[in-house]
């Protein structure tokens, strides 16, 4: 009986050519977007015009293509092993909705005390917890897919409920208590719910139906050995397409104000590093195995830049400093979290205890059943 093959194989051997050179493709996608947005007349305006209620359709398309293959890999019959792990769920809620926004608030005020627009934009980024790209980073780092699906769904629920209230607290109430300048944030819970429905609900339902109907029609072995390998590369295609579109839309703002971008980047770099390593340390302290530790770290460190940019533009305008801060978010987040994927893979062999998601007897039994299904069947050699 073998362990998860994603953890056993050497990193280089495990990755496809597309995965192995992922940083190269991402840098190239950023460059193509920036150059295209600058050199092709009207490209940015044309892409920006294709939007419904502030949601960019090209970006939405890219994210849907990106998330569907990963969510189609999730074993939905194993989600109960995640929801029963109270340590994981509680740690995720505290890291995402207590520590994350507070840390970004502190870093924004410490590093950008003289730039109120950028500071406000970063605080909005800190409030928008990740529900999209984290799926990709978690899968590349060999995290627990089922745990990622549950934590992303949990974040989406809290995003609808808590985003507006936290925005009011961190931009108006808390600065007032501390004697700092206050800012009003006007955002509708309905807009946030629409954002969650598009970027999470659609690919989640599609992934669930694919597995349910595919296994019912042709069985699990066909679904996992034939269907999933065919759709798998589209996750990274969607990621690269999204990056190209995003940077084409905001190329002028990024290239036109390089010093401002650098100022905004510093607190973001500190935020991603502190959240990721802090979350990993928290996971180790509460006794989680590698897979769920990686999932906890990436879900806590990532942010929903789509929502942050949409809120900043709707509230302060497309040319505002708040919108620029939101745009710089993925400019820093994407390469940093890709680098942390490789850090995570390097740390996995040193992780104490089993690599299973939790140490409970029930979960180990569930894992053993899954591994038996996952083991490739070797052909019987003729005598």
């Amino acid at each position: 009986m073998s362990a998860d093959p994603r953890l056993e194989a050497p990193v280089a051997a495990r990755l496809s050519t597309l995965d192995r050179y992922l940083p190269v493709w991402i840098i190239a996608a950023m460059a193509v977007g920036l150059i295209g947005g600058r050199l092709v007349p009207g490209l940015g305006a044309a892409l920006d015009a294709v939007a419904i209620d502030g949601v960019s359709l090209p970006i939405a398309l890219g994210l849907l293509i990106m998330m569907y293959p990963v969510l189609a890999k999730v074993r939905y019959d194993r989600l109960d092993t995640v929801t029963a792990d109270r340590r994981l769920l509680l740690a995720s809620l505290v890291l995402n909705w207590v520590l994350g926004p507070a840390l970004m608030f502190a870093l924004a005020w410490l590093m950008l005390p003289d730039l109120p627009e950028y500071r406000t934009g970063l605080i909005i980024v800190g409030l928008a917890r990740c529900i999209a790209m984290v799926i990709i980073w978690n899968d590349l780092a060999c995290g627990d897919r089922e745990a990622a699906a549950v934590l992303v769904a949990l974040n989406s629920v809290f995003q609808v409920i808590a985003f507006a209230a936290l925005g009011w607290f961190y931009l108006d109430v808390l600065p007032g208590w501390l004697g700092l300048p206050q800012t009003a944030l006007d955002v509708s819970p309905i807009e946030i719910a629409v954002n969650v429905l598009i970027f999470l609900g659609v690919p989640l339902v599609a992934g669930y139906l694919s597995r349910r109907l595919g296994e019912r029609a042709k069985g699990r072995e066909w679904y996992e050995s034939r269907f999933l390998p065919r759709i798998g590369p589209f996750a990274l295609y969607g990621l690269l397409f999204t990056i190209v579109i995003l940077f084409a839309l905001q190329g002028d703002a990024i290239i036109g104000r390089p010093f401002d971008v650098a100022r905004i980047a510093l607190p973001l770099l500190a935020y991603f590093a502190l959240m990721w390593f802090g979350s990993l340390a928290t996971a180790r302290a509460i006794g989680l195995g590698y897979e769920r530790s990686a999932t906890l770290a990436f879900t806590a460190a990532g942010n929903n830049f789509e929502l942050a940019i949409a809120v900043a533009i709707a509230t302060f305008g497309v040319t505002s400093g708040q919108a620029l801060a939101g745009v710089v978010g993925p400019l820093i987040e994407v390469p940093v979290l890709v680098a942390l994927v490789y850090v995570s893979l390097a740390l996995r062999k040193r992780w104490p205890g089993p690599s299973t998601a939790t140490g409970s007897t029930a979960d180990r039994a569930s894992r053993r059943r899954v591994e038996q299904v996952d083991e490739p069947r070797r052909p019987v050699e003729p005598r």
Side-chain angles (χ1 to χ4, degrees):
M1 185 184 302
S2 65
D4 188 341
R6 297 181 302 164
L7 292 173
E8 281 192 341
V11 174
R14 180 181 65 81
L15 297 176
S16 66
T17 300
L18 182 63
D19 292 341
R20 192 176 304 132
Y21 298 103
L22 180 61
V24 176
W25 310 138
I26 286 179
I27 292 172
M30 290 178 175
V32 169
L34 290 173
I35 295 171
R38 294 279 289 184
L39 297 183
V40 179
L43 177 61
L47 292 172
D48 197 37
V50 188
I52 297 178
D53 292 333
V55 176
S56 169
L57 295 185
I59 290 180
L61 176 63
L63 288 171
L64 294 178
I65 294 172
M66 176 188 78
M67 293 180 67
Y68 165 68
V70 181
L71 290 172
K73 295 177 183 178
V74 171
R75 291 277 179 80
Y76 293 93
D77 56 350
R78 284 174 42 200
L79 294 185
D80 59 333
T81 67
V82 180
T83 56
D85 191 345
R86 295 181 180 178
R87 298 170 303 166
L88 175 69
L89 299 182
L90 180 60
S92 178
L93 287 176
V94 172
L95 288 166
N96 275 285
W97 296 101
V98 179
L99 296 182
L103 176 61
M104 187 68 89
F105 175 87
L107 291 172
W109 273 100
L110 285 172
M111 296 187 179
L112 301 174
D114 57 329
L115 298 171
E117 290 189 359
Y118 299 155
R119 185 177 63 237
T120 298
L122 285 184
I123 292 173
I124 294 173
V125 170
L127 298 175
R129 313 313 300 170
C130 194
I131 63 171
M133 282 191 176
V134 67
I135 298 287
I136 289 287
W137 313 138
N138 176 76
D139 204 54
L140 290 172
C142 300
D144 188 310
R145 291 180 185 131
E146 290 69 39
V150 170
L151 295 187
V152 164
L154 190 65
N155 274 347
S156 70
V157 172
F158 270 79
Q159 202 149 250
V160 174
I161 296 172
F163 184 92
L166 287 175
W168 168 70
F169 176 76
Y170 279 106
L171 293 174
D172 190 5
V173 176
L174 184 57
W177 290 350
L178 300 175
L180 302 172
Q182 297 165 277
T183 305
L185 181 66
D186 182 19
V187 57
S188 166
I190 295 177
E191 295 176 2
I192 300 172
V194 169
N195 182 280
V196 169
L197 178 64
I198 293 174
F199 294 124
L200 176 62
V202 172
L204 184 62
V205 171
Y208 173 79
L209 291 177
S210 293
R211 179 171 282 278
R212 189 72 182 270
L213 299 177
E215 288 187 357
R216 181 181 297 176
K218 296 195 174 183
R220 175 166 290 184
E221 184 177 355
W222 173 87
Y223 183 84
E224 299 201 346
S225 64
R226 299 289 185 87
F227 180 73
L228 290 182
R230 290 178 183 174
I231 66 171
F234 285 92
L236 293 182
Y237 299 155
L239 171 64
L240 297 177
F241 174 80
T242 302
I243 292 171
V244 169
I245 297 299
L246 181 66
F247 284 85
L249 284 169
Q250 305 297 339
D252 286 337
I254 293 171
I255 295 176
R257 290 186 270 180
F259 181 73
D260 289 354
V261 169
R263 287 288 306 272
I264 297 168
L266 290 177
L268 283 169
L269 286 170
Y271 173 83
F272 293 132
L274 289 171
M275 283 300 295
W276 193 84
F277 284 103
S279 300
L280 208 63
T282 300
R284 183 165 181 168
I286 63 177
L288 295 181
Y290 169 77
E291 293 180 358
R292 288 193 179 172
S293 297
T295 300
L296 182 65
F298 282 102
T299 52
N303 291 90
N304 185 354
F305 65 83
E306 308 91 2
L307 176 60
I309 294 172
V311 169
I313 290 175
T315 305
F316 303 103
V318 69
T319 61
S320 65
Q322 291 88 341
L324 177 62
V327 169
V328 175
L331 173 70
I332 305 302
E333 177 177 339
V334 170
V336 168
L337 292 190
V338 169
L340 290 175
V341 165
Y342 288 92
V343 173
S344 185
L345 291 171
L347 292 175
R348 79 192 191 280
K349 292 183 179 179
R350 301 180 182 181
W351 204 258
S355 64
T356 53
T358 178
S360 70
T361 303
D363 190 63
R364 286 198 297 268
S366 174
R367 285 274 168 173
R368 282 196 292 269
R369 289 194 298 271
V370 170
E371 287 162 5
Q372 287 173 340
V373 173
D374 281 343
E375 276 190 11
R377 302 193 178 191
R378 299 179 181 177
V380 178
E381 298 182 359
R383 296 181 179 272

